[in-house]
Each structure stands twice: as structure tokens, then as C-alpha cells.
Amino acid sequence: MTSTSAATYDAHPLRAHLVDLDLLEETLAFNRAFEQAAGSRPARRGPLDAATLALLRRNRLGGDTPPRRLPQARDRRLPSGVGVRVLDPGAPEGVLLHLHGGGWAFGSADGQDERLWELARRTRLAVVSVDYRLAPEHPHPAGPDDCEAAARWLADHAEAEFGTRRLLIAGESAGAHLAVLTLLRLRDDLPGAYRAAHLAFGPYDLAMTPSQRDFGDRPLLSNTRSLQGSYEMYSPGTSPERRRGPGLSPLYADLTGLPPARLVVGTEDPLLDDSALLARRWQDAGGTARLDVVAGAMHGFTLYPLTVTARERRREREFLGAAGR
């Protein structure tokens, strides 16, 4: 890490929450390489055509090859019709409801088998990953409705299915957004059903926080233009004023009564403000919210084989392994 980089982060407004400063040089070098590679590809303008959408859905998030499906995982269809993928390490000590990312338009329950199986083994948690319906074919509220249905099923059947009532919820990016909406939908009639939440780099204000608006077209995994496109696919024709409604943007919701949460985001993520502001509002509502800001990390950094990714995966496992006991 150079002294210039260190000085920049010494003055960061979220300095108290920064982690992994010792890895800053490696993390920023990866970002530069990513930008260089992205800059050599033609810029995408306008809505995605059907062929591009199909290609992006076929490959793993952040990559250009299909994900690897593990034989340890099994697919099932819930009575509501929602599909889930279950990774059970045997005699689990809890169940994690997992909501994948992908801008509400990409990703799938079988897109991260290897990571989720490792998490299940190391934390002794059964993982139930939800195959919620995707935009633009199924815009809001289809995705939240599916996540709510799966969460309610698990609350009713976890003990019979897995021998435990210790339930946790987690999501990345759009999945983190859906996780908070799910907790809000369950709060009144199933209070305390989910004992903790792990929220990675989620968008919580679909009318756009300052960091989203100001990020610009920098060609990292997510930027101002790509976020705008995702919001239009997920909630087409919705005005910024309506996007501030709590059913779309949980940053504006009453957060009273939500379980302890860990929020993680990188300093080079256009969604930085979303996590920082949500953590503050979570605490102001009387809840517990830990915020970790990863120095130099871009949106979706955990999709890539970085040293900082290994560290973040370990922190995630430590939080989920201990939460809600």
C-alpha cells in the first residue's frame, strides 16, 4: 500500500468502519484491471435484448461461464410454487434463507453452489436459496412476493424439515434489498422469526442516494447507468417519488423491530451511501447494525478470487455462525 493511498483513506468519512486497509493496493489494482478490460468492450446502451439477457442469465454472476452445480444441493418446489435450492450439511444448527443478487434480472438459486456449500459446512447451517421470479418479465412486486412466500414457509416448517427454529436471512446486492423487504413484510405477524440478517452491498434507495448519482460511468461491475437500468427493469415507469416508497426503497421504511444485522460494502461501490445510511437508520430505530466498509472494494467484489474476498467470506461465516443463538 502506498502512502498516498493510505493518506486518502485516513481522511475517509467512514474511517471508523473501514476494514482491509492493508490489502488496499491489491484491491485497487484489481479494480484498474477490471476497468481496463471493461473499457475494451463496446458500451451497452438502452435496454437489454433477449439474447443478451439469456446469455447473462446462463453464466455465473460476474463471469462468462456457467456456474457449477453441486450434487450436494437439491431443488424443490414449495406449495406456493416458488423454487428453492437446499444445501443441508446434516444435523444443522440453524437455517439460512439466501436471496441471490443480479439486479433483480439475473442470477439463480443454483448460481453459487460452491460458496453456499462451504458456508453450510463451516457454519452448520442448512442453506435455502430462493429462485424468485426475475425482471423484466416479472417486475416488482413478483420478486418480493416470492421471497416472502419462501420466508413464511420456512418459518412454519423449519423445525419439521431441519430440526431447528433458528432462522437467519442473507442476500447480496438485489438480494440484500429483497432480504430487508422480506423482514419488513414479516415483522408484524411473525416478529422475531428471523434472528439476524447479513446484507452485502445492497441498493436500499431506488430513487438513488448521492453516491449512486455521483458515481458516473466508471466501468466497474456497477455504476450510475447500470443501476438506473436495473431500476427501470425492476420497477418500469416508476417515478423517483414513487421509488422512495418503503415498499420499493427500505431506506425510507420504519425499521423498528428488525433483527441484528451486519452490512458490508466497498468504498468504490456506488451503493456505499445505501449501506451507511441504512445502518444508521437501523440503529436509530433501536436495532443493532454493524457496518463494515471494505477499503478499495468495488460492487460485487466477493464474486472474484481476491485476498479481500477470502477475508470477507470468513467474516460472513463468523457472523452467521454465531448469530441468533
Side-chain angles (χ1 to χ4, degrees), residues 31-48:
N31 293 353
R32 290 191 293 270
F34 189 98
E35 290 184 80
Q36 184 175 10
S40 67
R41 296 191 291 268
R44 184 181 295 129
R45 305 287 182 181
L48 297 174

Side-chain angles (χ1 to χ4, degrees), residues 136-147:
E137 299 92 334
H138 304 285
H140 179 87
D145 287 350
D146 289 351
C147 295

Side-chain angles (χ1 to χ4, degrees), residues 176-177 180-181 184 199 202-205 209 249-253 255 258 261-263 271-285 288-289 291:
H177 166 270
V180 182
L181 291 187
L184 290 168
L199 309 170
Y204 308 118
D205 179 1
T209 55
S249 294
L251 184 60
Y252 300 98
L255 303 179
L258 297 188
R262 176 177 181 254
L263 297 89
L271 299 172
L272 175 61
D273 284 353
D274 294 61
S275 287
L277 293 170
L278 188 71
R280 185 186 308 165
R281 291 212 61 240
W282 205 289
Q283 294 165 346
D284 289 345
T288 300
L291 174 65

Side-chain angles (χ1 to χ4, degrees), residues 69 96 203 244:
R69 286 171 56 94
L96 176 67
R244 291 189 183 93

Side-chain angles (χ1 to χ4, degrees), residues 191-248:
Y194 287 79
R195 302 184 189 181
H198 192 274
L199 309 170
F201 36 78
Y204 308 118
D205 179 1
L206 274 60
M208 306 194 86
T209 55
S211 64
Q212 293 189 48
R213 294 193 302 269
D214 296 343
F215 194 84
D217 290 340
R218 187 178 175 192
L220 292 174
L221 190 65
S222 184
N223 58 34
T224 300
R225 185 187 301 275
S226 67
L227 288 170
Q228 290 169 333
S230 293
Y231 298 160
E232 184 57 31
M233 283 195 291
Y234 176 62
S235 55
T238 305
S239 67
E241 292 75 18
R242 287 187 58 199
R243 285 200 174 119
R244 291 189 183 93
L248 276 170

